[in-house]
Amino acid sequence: MTQHILNISYLIASITFIVGLKMLSNPASARKGNLLAAAGMTIAILATIFLYQNSETGEHLHNHLWIFGGLLIGGIVGTLAAKKVKMTAMPEMVSLFNGMGGACAALISLIEYNHISHIISYTPNSDTHSFQSTILIIAIGLIIGSVSFSGSIIAWGKLNGKIKDYSFSGQNILNLVILAVAIGAAGYIVVHPQHQLIFYTILLLSIIYGILFVLPIGGADMPVVISLLNSFTGVAAACGGFLYGNKVMLTGGILVGAAGTLLTILMCKAMNRSLKNVLIGSFGGGATTASGGAASGQGSYKEISLSDTAMIMSYANKVMIVPGYGLAVAQAQHTCHELEKILTEKGVEVKYAIHPVAGRMPGHMNVLLAEADVSYDKLLEMEQANDEFATTDVVLILGANDVVNPAAKTDPSSPIYGMPILDVELSKNVVVNKRSMKPGYAGIENELFFKPKTSMLFGDAKKVLQDLCAEIKNI
Amino acid sequence: MNNILQWVSNNQEIIYIVILMIFVGIEVIGRVPSVLHTPLMSGANAIHGVVIIGAIIVMGKAEADNYTALILGFLAVILGMLNVVGGFVVTDRMLEMFRKKK
């Protein structure tokens, strides 16, 4: 009886995951979808604790104190961390939580392997063949979980600036060798499950692979990496589902694995890069060599004063705002909306051009501007925006850099060559707000800043926008 | 060869689920506007926190004198719960901002 209720709970949870994910894809129902999936998760967790029975012995789970203690600690820390985090730090938070999931999957593999190696060592004549498929699943879960864990931690460190890009020659080859050795060792352990040392070597190699795999990747590729690691953890969770014949882990894990992979591919396409290219991590290597050469092409740039900017904007017919990570860092989304309102009152048409990879995650800018109540129909996707630049009088670039870099079109040696960009140059005037002339996240020079149409407006985005609002009001 | 065939037929139920879920995952995410990419990634991140079910099972099966399993399992439950709760709360916070849209 309890087994049936458990199965039905899992079925309900699986359905909520699918429906929840579906609802998440529509702005109107997204929040409900998230809550629905959370409710399903709660049902699955509670049902497991109270109703789960060992398929062989029929035993219920014990150690309830430990379980609830863990749930309580994880729940409180998770809630606090998620509530306290600033909107700008959201991407690295997602990456961190993803790493926790990966570590969880790796730990499950670790414990289950210990369990099996225990059985084998106490019954020397046991047939190791019967464990082969279990060990295989355990090894896969271990590799994917550990890579996802260490990779996510590195991605988290890189996004909050604690870890710098780092690459050395031959890194790609070393990565491949490490991965190949880990997979080879996994194959070995399936046939000879009693060799514990090999198992821990796989764990170590996977963690190292995760680190080396994310370490050289910088700039525009970071969202892709997080999305990819997200789908890795999904597959690792599904391995757990395989291990226990647990349908809800299987559905949830594979669902995320498939959806995450598709999302990753969509992002790669938006940047005109192949997944293989990202995986091997050639981007970072390319960027370091290219940045040295690009510095030579500099010319002089011109600055524009606040009052001049206020002047050209308030007498423009159409202003397009291009937000980037600088806007997020300065927390300037509300001030930006303020500026938009003031200009609209003056009869200026204001729109936002959103590049798919602006910021640190796809949709980062949308979330940020939505927080400031900017209405949806003012946010243009890249294709729409590119059609409108020709009729735009002033483009105001707020802390965006790589997504407007013309080198992506003109310079085949540039690491971002081939990435679609916002064609801000089609407009009459381009005003670039940056804190300094330092290159953007991908570490490459931007010749846009030296174009005759372009003027630079240095300063923190929030401060500059506040001053701009004040100036425009006075006109 | 025989082994593989037998394994496939023993696990066919699971293999069906995997294949169907791959298509469902792709189908569900295929029509997402780019506006929702970040919340969606975050929501998916929370859903793969379902790995906590495995952590609970491991924890609950551990013998009372097997401290390695108890400690590692305890850690797994904490990490899994972090993933689940953190994931859902972060997603909710992101989506809260979309609510006030006119």
Side-chain angles (χ1 to χ4, degrees):
Chain A
M1 179 64 187
T2 49
Q3 190 62 39
H4 298 314
I5 300 177
L6 181 68
N7 287 340
I8 289 169
S9 309
Y10 283 166
L11 185 64
I12 294 173
S14 302
I15 294 170
T16 64
F17 292 165
I18 299 170
V19 177
L21 210 56
K22 179 82 199 158
M23 285 167 81
L24 267 169
S25 64
N26 182 339
S29 61
R31 201 162 180 222
K32 274 191 208 136
N34 184 49
L35 293 177
L36 184 70
M41 188 70 82
T42 314
I43 293 174
I45 290 175
L46 290 178
T48 309
I49 296 175
F50 294 112
L51 304 176
Y52 183 86
Q53 277 175 309
N54 192 317
S55 52
E56 286 144 31
T57 59
E59 249 182 285
H60 278 279
L61 293 177
H62 39 276
N63 299 327
H64 281 179
L65 215 60
W66 287 81
I67 295 175
F68 280 109
L71 292 181
L72 201 66
I73 296 176
I76 292 174
V77 175
T79 312
L80 287 180
K83 287 257 181 210
K84 287 251 165 83
V85 64
K86 288 197 193 83
M87 227 33 229
T88 38
M90 237 23 147
E92 56 243 49
M93 207 67 213
V94 173
S95 183
L96 193 62
F97 287 139
N98 180 45
M100 298 298 114
C104 182
L107 283 173
I108 292 172
S109 285
L110 210 58
I111 298 167
E112 284 299 327
Y113 174 74
N114 277 334
H115 187 63
I116 287 179
S117 76
H118 204 69
I119 297 176
I120 293 171
S121 61
Y122 279 85
T123 44
N125 298 324
S126 65
D127 178 20
T128 51
H129 284 282
S130 56
F131 295 114
Q132 278 187 358
S133 62
T134 314
I135 293 275
L136 178 67
I137 300 294
I138 290 177
I140 296 174
L142 179 79
I143 295 178
I144 302 175
S146 319
V147 168
S148 175
F149 165 66
S150 59
S152 297
I153 297 300
I154 297 294
W156 168 74
K158 289 188 92 152
L159 281 173
N160 65 20
K162 286 203 177 82
I163 299 170
K164 295 275 168 286
D165 296 359
Y166 178 75
S167 58
F168 48 88
S169 60
Q171 186 162 7
N172 294 343
I173 295 161
L174 182 68
N175 282 1
L176 285 179
V177 169
I178 291 175
L179 188 63
V181 173
I183 292 173
Y188 182 83
I189 202 89
V190 169
V191 187
H192 307 282
Q194 66 276 26
H195 290 176
Q196 298 203 11
L197 197 64
I198 302 283
F199 188 79
Y200 293 110
T201 312
I202 300 175
L203 173 66
L204 190 69
L205 287 175
S206 309
I207 290 178
I208 295 174
Y209 178 76
I211 296 172
L212 290 180
F213 154 62
V214 181
L215 211 47
I217 303 172
D221 273 351
M222 209 31 91
V224 179
V225 173
I226 296 180
S227 172
L228 189 67
L229 293 174
N230 197 26
S231 68
F232 277 11
T233 315
V235 176
C239 285
F242 238 115
L243 204 55
Y244 301 117
N246 186 309
K247 308 267 183 338
V248 75
M249 287 174 79
L250 205 59
T251 35
I254 296 290
L255 191 66
V256 173
T261 308
L262 180 71
L263 189 59
T264 313
I265 292 170
L266 288 179
M267 280 182 225
C268 285
K269 269 195 192 141
M271 300 192 303
N272 203 13
R273 300 171 50 73
S274 75
L275 188 57
K276 186 184 120 229
N277 214 334
V278 175
L279 266 176
I280 299 178
S282 73
F283 187 74
T288 39
T289 50
S291 58
S296 57
Q298 285 188 27
S300 59
Y301 56 89
K302 67 168 187 283
E303 276 193 62
I304 186 168
S305 70
L306 266 170
S307 48
D308 284 350
T309 315
M311 197 66 84
I312 57 168
M313 284 179 85
S314 43
Y315 289 103
N317 286 319
K318 183 148 113 190
V319 170
M320 190 83 83
I321 297 176
V322 179
Y325 189 61
L327 180 87
V329 171
Q331 287 286 308
Q333 61 274 33
H334 293 283
T335 330
C336 188
H337 183 49
E338 185 73 12
L339 177 75
E340 174 212 316
K341 280 193 285 190
I342 295 171
L343 284 172
T344 312
E345 275 165 28
K346 288 195 178 278
V348 183
E349 187 186 356
V350 183
K351 280 180 178 165
Y352 296 83
I354 312 287
H355 190 278
V357 298
R360 290 290 185 272
M361 279 183 118
H364 194 179
M365 292 300 122
N366 304 82
V367 173
L368 211 62
L369 292 171
E371 188 197 356
D373 278 336
V374 173
S375 100
Y376 272 143
D377 37 294
K378 289 196 183 291
L379 306 183
L380 301 183
E381 293 195 13
M382 185 171 59
E383 287 79 15
Q384 296 168 286
N386 279 342
D387 289 340
E388 295 209 12
F389 279 125
T391 57
T392 303
D393 300 296
V394 181
V395 171
L396 178 64
I397 298 175
L398 296 169
N401 192 340
D402 298 327
V403 296
V404 292
N405 193 337
K409 285 189 160 171
T410 55
D411 178 10
S413 70
S414 169
I416 60 166
Y417 182 68
M419 178 175 93
I421 55 161
L422 290 164
D423 295 318
V424 292
E425 281 180 276
L426 297 176
S427 66
K428 296 196 183 73
N429 291 290
V430 179
V431 177
V432 181
N433 167 240
K434 270 171 70 62
R435 275 172 300 180
S436 67
M437 279 308 283
K438 273 202 274 183
Y441 196 56
I444 38 182
E445 284 295 337
N446 192 340
E447 51 178 296
L448 174 77
F449 304 154
F450 308 106
K451 293 275 161 92
K453 268 185 198 171
T454 312
S455 335
M456 306 300 292
L457 182 61
F458 292 116
D460 174 77
K462 190 170 188 174
K463 177 91 180 41
V464 164
L465 284 172
Q466 279 166 348
D467 295 347
L468 261 183
C469 290
E471 288 277 348
I472 293 173
K473 272 185 196 153
N474 287 337
I475 291 173
Chain B
M1 187 62 198
N2 213 8
N3 277 349
I4 299 173
L5 286 181
Q6 198 182 348
W7 184 85
V8 169
S9 112
N10 285 347
N11 294 290
Q12 54 164 315
E13 205 184 333
I14 285 176
I15 295 168
Y16 270 102
I17 295 180
V18 169
I19 293 169
L20 291 176
M21 274 305 134
I22 291 174
F23 282 99
V24 170
I26 291 173
E27 198 55 37
V28 158
I29 211 176
R31 288 168 212 150
V32 174
S34 70
V35 191
L36 284 171
H37 274 174
T38 302
L40 185 85
M41 195 197 277
S42 179
N45 177 44
I47 290 174
H48 72 47
V50 74
V51 70
I52 192 174
I53 303 288
I56 291 172
I57 294 175
V58 151
M59 179 87 249
K61 284 200 306 193
E63 295 89 5
D65 55 347
N66 186 349
Y67 289 105
T68 328
L70 281 178
I71 292 168
L72 291 181
F74 186 59
L75 209 59
V77 172
I78 294 180
L79 294 178
M81 195 62 180
L82 266 176
N83 188 179
V84 171
V85 174
F88 281 122
V89 175
V90 160
T91 313
D92 192 58
R93 268 192 65 193
M94 285 184 197
L95 293 170
E96 198 177 12
M97 295 155 193
F98 286 87
R99 190 187 42 173
K100 288 173 286 180
K101 111 184 207 264
K102 276 120 213 161

